[in-house]
Amino acid sequence: MTIVDMGTRNSFMEFSNALEGTKCPLRSLELSKLGNGGLKILCSALISTKAPIQVLDLSVSMIGDVAVDQLCQALQLSPCPVRQLILAGNLITDKGAKYIADTLIHPGHKTIKSIDVSENELSDIGAEHLASALSSPSCSLQKFDIAHNSTVTSCGYKAILAALLTRKEPSLLINLRGLNLTEQDFTHCGITPHIFKSTPKPKEKREKH
């Protein structure tokens, strides 16, 4: 079951109340245009729900760092076994990246295997926060999408590469497409450009109906 674009605050409140029900079978949840207010309501529901949500897609939801902080706190308390967290196309900056990084290494959330923070507003500082999480033995990610954050330079990605080299679990797929990088940038930081040529093409941004 997937829910897309709740439309009005009242309809979202009704859905949130249903989500808190003990028999809710929801496994995949896709919401758009939530805004910070809608995200706050969702966080409350996530903490109390018994739904076995594995995929949480909040792409193009117009949420920023404050909302991401609330979401990360909710995920740390939620019984939901979220494996895939999609936050693409939002307004997340380096501060939000730190909240996400802390969640990835939180002992209560080893279930997260895939995270998408593409098309946000991260810089090298945000990339370094996430790289720190990737290098932690507490992080169990298998897929990490940070594509199309154009203010991240090769130095931010050098931090990510260094984190990969310290991981005991090497099977991590990373999407670095659409970055503001040149071959000279990589060479300057000691990175071989062809390492990244095999990264998958990102999905087209989906239209929300």
Side-chain angles (χ1 to χ4, degrees):
M1 181 178 180
T2 299
I3 306 296
V4 183
D5 195 354
M6 296 305 298
T8 68
R9 180 181 178 87
N10 286 340
S11 63
F12 183 69
M13 284 292 293
E14 292 173 2
F15 165 71
S16 179
N17 291 335
L19 184 61
E20 294 179 10
T22 57
K23 296 183 179 180
C24 182
L26 199 64
R27 293 182 179 274
S28 177
L29 177 58
E30 179 182 345
L31 297 169
S32 69
K33 303 178 183 177
L34 282 180
N36 292 338
L39 194 282
K40 185 175 181 179
I41 297 171
L42 174 64
C43 288
S44 177
L46 286 175
I47 293 172
S48 57
T49 186
K50 299 294 193 300
I53 299 172
Q54 297 184 18
V55 179
L56 181 57
D57 186 348
L58 302 177
S59 56
V60 198
S61 284
M62 301 182 292
I63 56 176
D65 296 334
V66 172
V68 167
D69 183 22
Q70 294 172 342
L71 175 63
C72 289
Q73 291 183 48
L75 287 175
Q76 291 172 17
L77 297 172
S78 174
C80 297
V82 176
R83 295 179 60 85
Q84 183 178 4
L85 178 61
I86 305 172
L87 298 170
N90 283 296
L91 306 170
I92 303 168
T93 71
D94 299 331
K95 190 173 182 179
K98 181 64 167 64
Y99 298 141
I100 294 168
D102 290 344
T103 299
L104 291 177
I105 60 176
H106 190 274
H109 244 285
K110 287 180 177 286
T111 60
I112 298 178
K113 303 299 181 185
S114 173
I115 189 164
D116 183 348
V117 290
S118 62
E119 299 183 74
N120 276 283
E121 300 177 3
L122 306 186
S123 74
D124 287 341
I125 295 173
E128 289 168 2
H129 289 323
L130 293 167
S132 178
L134 290 176
S135 64
S136 170
S138 298
C139 180
S140 58
L141 275 187
Q142 296 173 356
K143 185 177 180 181
F144 175 49
D145 192 336
I146 193 173
H148 299 278
N149 280 277
S150 61
T151 56
V152 179
T153 72
S154 55
C155 292
Y157 290 95
K158 184 177 182 181
I160 292 174
L161 180 63
L164 292 181
L165 297 176
T166 65
R167 283 173 62 93
K168 292 183 179 180
E169 173 52 65
S171 57
L172 176 64
L173 178 63
I174 296 185
N175 187 356
L176 305 177
R177 296 266 183 166
L179 306 177
N180 185 24
L181 305 172
T182 66
E183 184 169 336
Q184 288 73 24
D185 289 329
F186 282 119
T187 304
H188 178 72
C189 285
I191 302 173
T192 305
H194 70 75
I195 290 175
F196 302 103
K197 289 184 179 179
S198 62
T199 55
K201 184 178 180 180
K203 300 177 292 184
E204 294 288 335
K205 185 179 287 188
R206 290 163 292 179
E207 291 291 331
K208 301 292 182 180
H209 301 289

